[in-house]
């Protein structure tokens, strides 16, 4: 039994914060942000919208696209580092709000790689016939752990949620190969400070790690799946920085229009960035049946994950 994606969904807050808006908050400029990151604007959730709310909206969208009821779910996995509370988990809150059965529900903490960790975890349960339909959500409210006086980080991040229903698909479709990894020695470069609760990032070191790991993992999963770089139809990288994304695209040798680039509109939404980009490009028709996709991300931990996926049921 092959595990694939039966439906996708996403949600982004209505509140748009442009680079010009950021100029009024910290000493920065629209040109500086755009040329170094590719970001033009980001979405920030209102105070009365928390992580579980965004997860719910994205999940409902994914269930609708999959033509599935919440009662058909066998497991719920939520990738996030910004839960409403340490416990109960966002997954348990989501289970209750969706009206799902009392199935297994847990949060996954792998920062920006979280959605990849979630998808690959779901794959194991499905391909061993333990479960049939699993909801995987990547969601973050990074605005609540962002230091809005730190111009090096506050311009980068945004809020949002993306979701996918993972289930059995026909032979030759679905997740063909994957790679997961972590290097705990790099944790000091990207973490949440215990005293301030704010996110800290050593941008230079994280950049160096990402421009090496993202292209390498992308090529690895294509080769593991038995394909060549030329066979890749579409790349969905973690939407952190356009220069890092371009490094992966160039390593695969695919055209610019074959790479998701939602970073300019949403900034870095951590674990939500890949599923948001995936959902948008499925709905817009950029991703078509039988396309060979590469999904690849990196994040705090330091962690990384990549998937080669044949789209379709």
């Amino acid at each position: 039994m092959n595990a694939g994606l039966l439906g996708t969904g996403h949600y982004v807050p209505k509140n748009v914060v442009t680079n010009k808006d950021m100029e009024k908050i910290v000493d920065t400029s629209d040109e500086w942000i755009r040329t170094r990151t590719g970001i033009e604007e980001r979405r920030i959730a209102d105070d009365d919208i928390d992580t579980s709310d965004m997860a719910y909206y994205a999940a409902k969208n994914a269930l609708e696209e999959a033509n599935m009821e919440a009662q058909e779910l066998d497991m719920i996995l939520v990738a996030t580092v910004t839960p409403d509370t340490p416990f109960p988990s966002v997954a348990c809150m989501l289970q209750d709000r969706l009206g799902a059965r009392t199935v297994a529900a847990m949060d996954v903490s792998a920062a920006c790689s979280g959605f990849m960790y979630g998808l690959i975890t779901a794959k194991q349960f499905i391909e061993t016939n333990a479960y049939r339909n699993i909801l995987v959500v990547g969601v973050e409210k990074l605005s609540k752990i962002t230091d809005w006086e730190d111009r090096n980080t506050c311009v980068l991040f945004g809020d949002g949620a993306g979701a996918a229903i993972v289930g059995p698909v026909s032979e030759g479709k679905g997740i063909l190969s994957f790679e997961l990894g972590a290097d705990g020695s790099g944790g000091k470069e990207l973490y949440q400070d215990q005293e301030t609760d704010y996110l800290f990032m050593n941008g230079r070191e994280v950049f160096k790690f990402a421009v090496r790991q993202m292209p390498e993992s992308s090529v690895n999963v294509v080769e593991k799946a038995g394909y060549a770089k030329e066979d890749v139809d579409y790349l969905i990288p973690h939407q952190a920085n356009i220069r890092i994304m371009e490094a992966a695209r160039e390593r695969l040798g695919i055209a610019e229009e074959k790479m998701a680039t939602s970073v300019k509109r949403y900034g870095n939404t951590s674990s939500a960035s890949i599923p948001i980009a995936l959902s948008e490009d499925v709905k817009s028709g950029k991703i078509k049946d039988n396309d060979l996709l590469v999904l690849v991300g990196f994040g705090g931990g330091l962690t990384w994950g990549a998937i080669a996926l044949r789209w379709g049921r």
Side-chain angles (χ1 to χ4, degrees):
M1 186 182 293
N2 300 328
L5 274 57
L6 307 179
T8 60
H10 67 281
Y11 168 84
V12 291
K14 296 178 180 178
N15 185 28
V16 178
V17 178
T18 67
N19 290 346
K20 290 293 185 182
D21 294 326
M22 296 304 302
E23 290 177 356
K24 302 171 186 176
I25 299 173
V26 289
D27 182 16
T28 191
S29 71
D30 171 57
E31 182 184 12
W32 188 92
I33 299 169
R34 278 189 294 104
T35 56
R36 286 164 176 77
T37 69
I39 299 168
E40 297 176 8
E41 58 189 38
R42 69 286 295 148
R43 302 296 181 95
I44 303 299
D46 292 335
D47 291 342
D48 60 349
I49 299 291
D50 214 334
T51 303
S52 63
D53 298 307
M54 294 188 286
Y56 172 75
Y57 300 138
K60 288 287 286 184
N61 189 209
L63 284 165
E64 181 179 343
E65 186 176 287
N67 193 27
M68 187 179 297
E69 299 294 330
Q71 283 287 317
E72 297 176 68
L73 296 173
D74 301 305
M75 189 179 199
I76 298 173
L77 300 172
V78 175
T80 187
V81 293
T82 55
D84 299 29
T85 58
F87 59 91
S89 67
V90 175
C92 283
M93 295 178 180
L94 184 56
Q95 179 205 65
D96 176 53
R97 189 163 175 184
L98 287 173
R101 296 176 295 122
T102 54
V103 296
M106 67 178 182
D107 286 358
V108 178
S109 180
C112 305
S113 308
F115 185 72
M116 307 306 294
Y117 271 67
L119 284 184
I120 294 162
T121 299
K123 168 183 164 69
Q124 315 310 315
F125 282 104
I126 291 163
E127 294 187 356
T128 56
N129 288 315
Y131 298 131
R132 188 169 181 85
N133 300 313
I134 299 177
L135 168 64
V136 181
V137 181
V139 57
E140 303 290 2
K141 189 176 182 180
L142 291 172
S143 58
K144 67 182 180 182
I145 63 168
T146 297
D147 181 354
W148 291 97
E149 296 181 358
D150 179 9
R151 66 174 184 170
N152 294 315
T153 57
C154 71
V155 300
L156 303 176
F157 299 105
D159 302 332
I165 309 298
V166 185
V169 293
S170 57
E171 187 175 353
K173 298 290 183 71
I175 299 172
L176 307 177
S177 65
F178 68 87
E179 175 175 293
L180 282 180
D183 179 3
S185 68
K188 63 184 182 296
E189 312 298 354
L190 180 54
Y191 63 90
Q192 185 178 3
D193 187 271
Q194 292 185 357
E195 293 185 3
T196 65
D197 281 342
Y198 289 143
L199 179 157
F200 169 83
M201 182 173 69
N202 182 338
R204 184 181 300 273
E205 291 303 314
V206 172
F207 182 87
K208 286 164 57 178
F209 161 75
V211 295
R212 171 180 52 82
Q213 193 62 56
M214 284 245 292
E216 183 179 304
S217 295
S218 298
V219 172
N220 286 347
V221 293
V222 173
E223 292 178 348
K224 284 182 182 179
Y227 290 96
K229 295 185 295 182
E230 294 74 23
D231 297 317
V232 177
D233 295 299
Y234 206 73
L235 171 66
I236 305 176
H238 169 42
Q239 308 285 306
N241 181 303
I242 193 65
R243 292 185 294 170
I244 299 172
M245 294 158 58
E246 284 291 337
R249 183 186 69 78
E250 291 171 3
R251 181 73 177 275
L252 286 173
I254 63 175
E256 289 184 24
E257 63 270 19
K258 294 294 185 178
M259 179 177 76
T261 54
S262 63
V263 66
K264 63 183 178 182
R265 288 174 289 116
Y266 303 133
N268 182 348
T269 55
S270 187
S271 66
S273 81
I274 291 175
I276 288 174
L278 174 65
S279 176
E280 280 200 331
D281 290 349
V282 167
K283 289 169 173 52
S284 70
K286 290 183 179 179
I287 295 173
K288 300 175 177 61
D289 189 60
N290 216 43
D291 275 354
L292 179 62
L293 314 180
V294 172
L295 283 61
V296 59
F298 69 93
L302 295 168
T303 61
W304 64 90
I307 284 173
L309 170 74
R310 179 69 70 183
W311 188 256
R313 295 193 179 191

